[in-house]
Amino acid sequence: PETIVVQELANRMAERAADVVKSLMKMGMMVSMNQAIDADTAELVIEEFGHKAVRVSDSDVEQVIDTVVDSEENLLPRAPVVTIMGHVDHGKTSLLDRIRKANIATGEAGGITQHIGAYQVKTPSGQLVTFLDTPGHAAFTSMRARGANVTDIVVLVVAADDAVMPQTVEAIHHAKAAGVPIIVAINKMDKHSANPTKVRTDLLQHEIVVEAMSGDVQDVEVSAHTGMGIDKLLEAISLQAEILELKANPNRDGMGAVVEAKLDVGRGPVATVLVQNGTLRKGDIFVVGQKWGKVRALLNDKGETITEAGPSTPVEVLGLNGTPSAGDVLNVVPTEAQAREIADYREQTTKDKRAAAGAATTLEQLMAKA
Ligand code: GDP
Ligand code: MG
């Protein structure tokens, strides 16, 4: 049921909390100002103080968020979003670094890539691929738990000198639960002790049948150290993306998911957002979880200022009123007033829920003592 904390109710009526407590006492309710009361009681109190109650529901507040369903003719192909997962020390970080460096060497000048939690590279055949560079499993699961399914493809790294290990199995389970296709990267092929056949047979036990064993899961032998097989891995990703027919509508308001967020000393709150649909532009007003803002600047993964970011683009967003959480969803809304209202409403709802949970515990404790 809907509840409100007495103090908050007093704040909203611009009355003293003590007076509200007194009024509740007269109604036979013993509550402190930090406790929550239900909506019906709150309405009685509001009338008692001569105010008028207006109940705002989730749908009222949130309906300004554009929930347009894109029709097929508005959809255009978008880059796949890839997460690299695998057992510790099997070479996730090395592989991500190698892919990024290979791309700088062959690609644009500039060079100094800054770490924003995601980056984009071009495959040899010209297809863009977005890599999420957040520490593997934790980010993947926490985002999924919060309803933000940001990954299209999982690259499962397995060291050829170690084969399948507990976190390899965990990664397989995560990918399967999310319904995300896997590409196996058999890493450390430069080592003398490399045994890719063992990797492939180990994987059979976890229902991963790779192409080399006549299955349909792509497997690529790579070495993050020498760079061997990296282009092949990128092409495998390209091929998988083609099969998935990933599409989005760039011609609508931007929406996306927070990949990373931090409070930067010089720049204030900064969020790396993966745009999932639409286009996010400088000057856009948005809500992201319980925060809101107006895009003051957008920076790409190379630290360059850009004016807009389309689907599958990771972008640093400046101009937030606070630091959101990883997995929070960003939506562009029409006005600052609406952005503020939605953010406030979400924050209040969370507080109320926490207070209600707190009140319930207190009640339970009282009952336990009695
Ligand atoms: P992560 O824990 O999965 O991120 O693994 P790292 O990328 O940190 O790599 C763990 C260790 O394996 C480091 O010492 C790397 O230098 C080494 N390593 C990673 N990839 C390769 C490779 O392709 N060949 C060899 N020989 N060593 C590698
Ligand atoms: Mg690592």
Side-chain angles (χ1 to χ4, degrees):
E2 288 176 85
T3 63
I4 185 166
V5 176
V6 173
Q7 177 73 65
E8 176 57 27
L9 179 60
N11 291 350
R12 288 199 204 174
M13 296 191 298
E15 301 285 350
R16 290 178 10 169
D19 293 337
V20 178
V21 171
K22 254 186 237 165
S23 152
L24 281 160
M25 250 192 247
K26 268 192 240 157
M27 290 160 59
M29 291 190 60
M30 302 298 208
V31 287
S32 79
M33 53 184 144
N34 297 317
Q35 281 179 307
I37 54 174
D38 63 63
D40 292 331
T41 311
E43 220 167 273
L44 289 175
V45 174
I46 293 165
E47 276 161 25
E48 187 74 17
F49 280 85
H51 299 285
K52 195 174 172 302
V54 182
R55 284 202 206 182
V56 186
S57 78
D58 230 23
S59 51
D60 288 344
V61 180
E62 308 246 359
Q63 73 190 2
V64 291
I65 289 178
D66 183 15
T67 49
V68 178
V69 178
D70 296 300
S71 57
E72 189 62 35
E73 70 259 28
N74 294 328
L75 296 175
L76 293 175
R78 64 169 179 83
V81 180
V82 177
T83 303
I84 297 197
M85 298 175 90
H87 196 71
V88 65
D89 284 345
H90 279 197
K92 296 180 292 296
T93 305
S94 306
L95 210 53
L96 278 163
D97 286 351
R98 167 60 76 170
I99 291 166
R100 181 170 11 200
K101 275 191 209 119
N103 202 247
I104 294 163
T106 57
E108 318 88 287
I112 310 156
T113 45
Q114 53 164 47
H115 211 271
I116 69 166
Y119 63 84
Q120 270 192 326
V121 302
K122 247 190 201 136
T123 67
S125 58
Q127 151 108 60
L128 273 177
V129 178
T130 304
F131 283 91
L132 291 187
D133 194 2
T134 45
H137 305 216
F140 189 81
T141 38
S142 81
M143 281 194 210
R144 279 228 325 128
R146 317 189 72 244
N149 234 340
V150 291
T151 303
D152 300 309
I153 297 166
V154 164
V155 168
L156 180 66
V157 183
V158 190
D161 63 339
D162 201 23
V164 172
M165 296 296 280
Q167 284 169 285
T168 317
V169 178
E170 195 187 302
I172 293 169
H173 289 158
H174 286 323
K176 282 192 173 168
V180 176
I182 291 173
I183 294 171
V184 178
I186 306 176
N187 190 32
K188 306 200 186 183
M189 283 302 294
D190 59 288
K191 285 193 148 185
H192 290 297
S193 51
N195 185 356
T197 309
K198 176 160 169 39
V199 173
R200 295 187 176 103
T201 43
D202 271 13
L203 285 170
L204 284 176
Q205 286 164 27
H206 303 281
E207 283 151 48
I208 301 284
V209 189
V210 296
E211 284 181 342
M213 317 257 328
S214 307
D216 55 7
V217 175
Q218 297 191 78
D219 57 318
V220 187
E221 295 181 0
V222 299
S223 165
H225 272 193
T226 68
M228 172 213 143
I230 300 297
D231 280 355
K232 265 181 127 176
L233 176 61
L234 291 174
E235 284 316 316
I237 292 168
S238 240
L239 183 63
Q240 185 65 64
E242 239 172 76
I243 295 165
L244 292 171
E245 290 189 72
L246 304 166
K247 284 177 179 167
N249 174 10
N251 299 309
R252 56 174 286 177
D253 284 342
M255 63 94 37
V258 175
V259 173
E260 262 183 27
K262 60 180 182 220
L263 185 59
D264 193 291
V265 178
R267 303 183 295 168
V270 180
T272 296
V273 173
L274 175 72
V275 178
Q276 294 181 287
N277 203 359
T279 299
L280 183 63
R281 294 188 173 83
K282 190 180 173 190
D284 277 350
I285 295 156
F286 62 87
V287 187
V288 55
Q290 297 175 18
K291 311 295 178 207
W292 68 278
K294 182 171 178 171
V295 180
R296 191 171 79 230
L298 292 173
L299 291 100
N300 67 13
D301 54 353
K302 295 175 187 70
E304 300 158 346
T305 304
I306 53 175
T307 51
E308 55 176 45
S312 296
T313 311
V315 69
E316 268 198 322
V317 178
L318 274 64
L320 292 131
N321 80 329
T323 313
S325 309
D328 277 350
V329 172
L330 178 146
N331 288 99
V332 168
V333 296
T335 69
E336 262 184 51
Q338 283 163 328
R340 203 188 297 260
E341 188 188 4
I342 296 168
D344 285 354
Y345 177 76
R346 287 178 180 172
E347 197 179 348
Q348 195 53 51
T349 312
T350 310
K351 267 191 206 159
D352 288 351
K353 272 191 199 136
R354 230 179 272 142
T361 318
T362 321
L363 191 64
E364 266 167 33
Q365 283 164 350
L366 284 173
M367 303 288 275
K369 268 181 204 154

